[in-house]
Amino acid sequence: MSHDMSHDQASYLELLARGAAAEAYDRPALLARAEGAGTEALAALEHAKRLALRVRAELAERRRREAELSALFETAHDLAGLRDLDAVLRAIVQRARSLLGTEVAYLCLNDPAAGDTYMRVTEGSVSARFQQLRLGMGEGLGGLVAQTARPYVTDSYFDDPRFQHTRTIDSGVRDEGLVAILGVPLMLGSQVIGVLFAADRHARVFEREQIALLGSFAAHAAVAIDTANLLGETRTALAELEKANEIIKEHSAVIERASDVHDRLTELVLRGGGVHDVASALSEVLDGTVEFAHPDSPSVTALELTGTEGRAKRHGEVWGAAVSAGGELLGALVLRGHPGLDPVDQRTLERAAMVTSLLLLARRSAGEAEQRVRGELLDDFLDAPDRDPRLLRERAVRLRADLDAPHVVLAARIDGPVAGAAGAPGATERETADRRRLWSAASHLAATGQGLAATRDGGTVLLLPLAPGDTAADLARRTAGQLGGALREPVTIGASTVIEAPAARPGAIAEAYAEARRCLDALRLLGRSGDGAAAQDLGFLGLLLADTRDIEGFVDRTIGEVVAYDLRRGTDLVRTLGAYFASGMSPARTKDELHVHVNTVAQRLERVARLLGPDWQSPARALEIQLALRLHAMSEAVVR
């Protein structure tokens, strides 16, 4: 019975187009099997299904990131036009619950007057007791978050001994049916003013990205409360100080200007602007020079912004606001030329820093996604080289990698003081962290150099293009220096021989990786940690490591100068060298072997020293020269 394969495969595109559930992707294969399709056709359909499901997953992940960024930008816009604090906090809690996919989300604030903490906003709660809960300072999971000013998560609240359980809190949580709870602090400066929670009525694991996302919402909530407090203070001053009417008007104008600034920044981000565009726009508004500085720059170090949670800080004539996410310092917006910054302009600088953190998070998410795709492609080259070369080439082109050009495979490992120390406390955790750091740095290097990178065998494998005039050894040494400098630890790299066109011979990549691994192992055994090399750098050892067995190249590198001299001058230096080593490196026995005067032997050996270098008789060099002489003699015999 015939079967229309193109129609069945096209049905997967229809499923993707209408956003069908994952179960629907089994139907085309079932129908094909019922219609009597052959084994090959069914295998093709199964491959098409896997590809369609991967595309579906990537689309879902992209929609999730877009939803997160959209919600965060909407929240930033709400803050810019803040009118009703309750409405803003309610929107923040609703968006947090929706994006994290939890059943409940809620926000608690500290009440300094009463000396306790109370529920301010809840979303998804069904228990009246829970919604009206008030608890003492330091109690429950929220108390642990407030004490440490750090996020905490529990996958089973009642079984967790880390925080103080009380009858009041446990009763409220039990009424609500909560099991897994994540809490992040609301910070004003170094002070915790409350906690934002996301919770489920069943056990679940909160991912690092979800914790960072909830932390971003908590930062927005803290800014909203801070802004509301500022507005409240302004209203109080209006009522009490009639004579300050002109000052208040000026403040109102500045606040309106700050709101316009936020609208402008939000529009800039939505148009696809970058970090430096934000700094440029802010320079105009604040009448100074604003630049984005990296975490380890001198200006950021001098400002001591770690732990300031994005609040503006002054050092001499310079102002700065930390750009951070989830407690990680990503950099800072640094303002020069405007030392007299009023409080509202300080808030403008701080909120611009928050927008910048969103941009960097978005860029990082996109970069991590691309790194994963690059790693998957290289894994396919290594593990499934028999796949359709045309599909592999198309995937490489989408990643801006030209696999029809010469490439080199590099095997890289960190050779830190702890890595590999079996049984050492924390060795496994350290090695895992080292592998993650190495992969991150290598992936960035591969992406900027139009190459590929993936984790493998406790280290990282890279497939990098070879520039004209470059050698595999040059590339290995340069890459070892770049990765070692980025990680501030020695990184050892072994290189394969050059693959002229990897896309045409996918199987050559796995062979080259095996060669690069052998070269890496040899470097580590030779004590050359932090170095990079190819087989050709390792003398006769390279002959054993390389799959190509480049005998002619080894001979040329070792005694090529002597062979060439004999050809040019008609001398007999190669034969003299052979006799010298055959005679136990004795000039007297050598002259008998050659039937020449001992002075003639001495003169020839002096010429050899000038051609090969003064250390040519050292044990290591002598061993390589003798091997090269034997290989040269064998090749000459074959030619004759």
Side-chain angles (χ1 to χ4, degrees), residues 234-255:
T234 303
R235 294 190 189 101
T236 302
L238 246 171
E240 294 177 351
L241 303 171
E242 293 182 2
K243 293 181 181 179
N245 187 45
E246 291 302 318
I247 298 175
I248 296 301
K249 285 181 180 179
E250 291 177 7
H251 265 248
S252 297
V254 174
I255 291 172

Side-chain angles (χ1 to χ4, degrees), residues 32 67 111 121 150 176 268 309 314 374 429 449 455 504:
D111 186 344
V121 181
R150 294 173 56 191
E176 194 62 50
L268 184 152
E309 302 302 326
R314 181 176 177 179
R374 288 178 181 274
E429 292 82 359
T455 57

Side-chain angles (χ1 to χ4, degrees), residues 10 23 43 61 75 148 179 197 228-229 277 289 332 334 389 409 428 439 449 483 501:
E23 298 78 25
E61 178 67 12
T75 304
T148 61
V179 175
F197 297 89
N229 290 340
D277 295 319
T289 301
V334 178
V409 175
T428 302
W439 176 79
L483 294 180

Side-chain angles (χ1 to χ4, degrees), residues 370-498:
E370 181 176 323
Q371 288 174 359
R372 284 194 296 273
V373 174
R374 288 178 181 274
E376 289 169 2
L377 176 56
L378 185 50
D379 281 334
D380 285 347
F381 271 112
L382 292 169
D383 298 329
D386 55 345
R387 291 194 176 180
D388 185 349
R390 181 178 55 82
L391 294 177
L392 293 172
R393 182 185 280 109
E394 289 175 358
R395 288 167 61 190
V397 169
R398 287 196 293 272
L399 293 169
R400 300 177 301 282
D402 179 12
L403 297 189
D404 289 312
H407 279 66
V408 174
V409 175
L410 304 175
R413 283 186 71 100
I414 288 181
D415 287 324
V418 177
T428 302
E429 292 82 359
R430 170 64 184 272
E431 290 169 2
T432 301
D434 281 347
R435 285 195 294 270
R436 190 181 304 116
R437 290 168 54 236
L438 177 59
W439 176 79
S440 177
S443 296
H444 175 73
L445 181 64
T448 56
Q450 285 75 53
L452 305 175
T455 57
R456 178 143 312 222
D457 300 320
T460 296
V461 54
L462 299 96
L463 179 65
L464 297 181
L466 190 68
D470 220 351
T471 68
D474 293 336
L475 183 60
R477 282 190 288 272
R478 186 166 59 251
T479 305
Q482 290 169 333
L483 294 180
L487 299 177
R488 298 181 181 175
E489 287 194 64
V491 176
T492 308
I493 291 183
S496 73
T497 51
V498 179

Side-chain angles (χ1 to χ4, degrees), residues 126-141:
V126 296
S127 165
R129 178 190 296 186
F130 184 78
Q131 294 166 20
Q132 298 166 10
L133 197 63
R134 296 187 76 96
L135 45 144
M137 293 288 190
E139 296 176 353
L141 185 145

Side-chain angles (χ1 to χ4, degrees), residues 91-165:
I92 288 173
V93 172
Q94 289 170 350
R95 289 166 187 158
R97 179 195 175 204
S98 173
L99 288 177
L100 268 69
T102 58
E103 296 168 283
V104 183
Y106 50 100
L107 186 150
C108 293
L109 291 181
N110 295 344
D111 186 344
D116 64 2
T117 300
Y118 67 100
M119 289 284 184
R120 177 63 182 267
V121 181
T122 64
E123 180 69 15
S125 170
V126 296
S127 165
R129 178 190 296 186
F130 184 78
Q131 294 166 20
Q132 298 166 10
L133 197 63
R134 296 187 76 96
L135 45 144
M137 293 288 190
E139 296 176 353
L141 185 145
L144 189 60
V145 174
Q147 285 174 355
T148 61
R150 294 173 56 191
Y152 269 86
V153 62
T154 179
D155 56 2
S156 182
Y157 174 84
F158 292 100
D159 298 326
D160 200 324
R162 292 178 299 169
F163 41 81
Q164 180 184 350
H165 289 268

Side-chain angles (χ1 to χ4, degrees), residues 521-539:
D521 292 341
L523 285 173
R524 301 176 78 195
L525 287 172
L526 293 170
R528 290 173 57 178
S529 292
D531 198 359
Q536 68 185 44
D537 290 331
L538 303 180

Side-chain angles (χ1 to χ4, degrees), residues 290-608:
V290 179
E291 65 176 1
F292 174 76
H294 293 283
D296 54 355
S297 66
S299 53
V300 175
T301 304
L303 284 162
E304 297 180 354
L305 293 172
T306 302
T308 59
E309 302 302 326
R311 298 304 296 268
K313 187 176 178 182
R314 181 176 177 179
H315 178 75
E317 300 292 302
V318 177
W319 282 90
V323 175
S324 59
E328 178 186 358
L329 184 64
L330 306 175
L333 288 182
V334 178
L335 170 66
R336 293 182 173 84
H338 194 164
L341 207 60
D342 64 45
V344 178
D345 280 345
Q346 292 177 34
R347 299 295 181 270
T348 298
L349 180 62
E350 293 164 1
R351 287 166 186 155
M354 185 178 296
V355 171
T356 303
S357 72
L358 296 179
L359 281 174
L360 292 177
L361 278 177
R363 185 181 300 169
R364 174 184 287 181
S365 297
E368 289 175 351
E370 181 176 323
Q371 288 174 359
R372 284 194 296 273
V373 174
R374 288 178 181 274
E376 289 169 2
L377 176 56
L378 185 50
D379 281 334
D380 285 347
F381 271 112
L382 292 169
D383 298 329
D386 55 345
R387 291 194 176 180
D388 185 349
R390 181 178 55 82
L391 294 177
L392 293 172
R393 182 185 280 109
E394 289 175 358
R395 288 167 61 190
V397 169
R398 287 196 293 272
L399 293 169
R400 300 177 301 282
D402 179 12
L403 297 189
D404 289 312
H407 279 66
V408 174
V409 175
L410 304 175
R413 283 186 71 100
I414 288 181
D415 287 324
V418 177
T428 302
E429 292 82 359
R430 170 64 184 272
E431 290 169 2
T432 301
D434 281 347
R435 285 195 294 270
R436 190 181 304 116
R437 290 168 54 236
L438 177 59
W439 176 79
S440 177
S443 296
H444 175 73
L445 181 64
T448 56
Q450 285 75 53
L452 305 175
T455 57
R456 178 143 312 222
D457 300 320
T460 296
V461 54
L462 299 96
L463 179 65
L464 297 181
L466 190 68
D470 220 351
T471 68
D474 293 336
L475 183 60
R477 282 190 288 272
R478 186 166 59 251
T479 305
Q482 290 169 333
L483 294 180
L487 299 177
R488 298 181 181 175
E489 287 194 64
V491 176
T492 308
I493 291 183
S496 73
T497 51
V498 179
I499 309 173
E500 290 301 329
R505 293 178 54 239
I509 295 178
E511 297 169 3
Y513 173 59
E515 180 184 332
R517 278 288 310 281
R518 292 194 296 271
C519 187
L520 171 64
D521 292 341
L523 285 173
R524 301 176 78 195
L525 287 172
L526 293 170
R528 290 173 57 178
S529 292
D531 198 359
Q536 68 185 44
D537 290 331
L538 303 180
F540 72 91
L541 184 57
L543 288 178
L544 305 176
L545 297 174
D547 286 333
T548 56
R549 302 291 188 266
D550 182 17
I551 292 175
E552 184 178 345
F554 169 72
V555 171
D556 184 61
R557 288 191 298 272
T558 308
I559 61 171
E561 293 283 345
V562 176
V563 174
Y565 189 88
D566 276 354
L567 289 174
R568 288 196 310 269
R569 303 293 182 88
T571 52
D572 210 7
L573 298 184
V574 171
R575 182 163 168 263
T576 302
L577 266 178
Y580 179 65
F581 284 117
S583 302
M585 301 174 70
S586 165
R589 288 197 292 271
T590 303
K591 61 99 174 171
D592 293 337
E593 175 72 21
L594 297 176
H595 306 293
V596 297
H597 195 276
V598 70
N599 290 341
T600 303
V601 173
Q603 290 169 2
R604 291 179 182 180
L605 294 179
E606 286 177 9
R607 173 60 61 185
V608 167

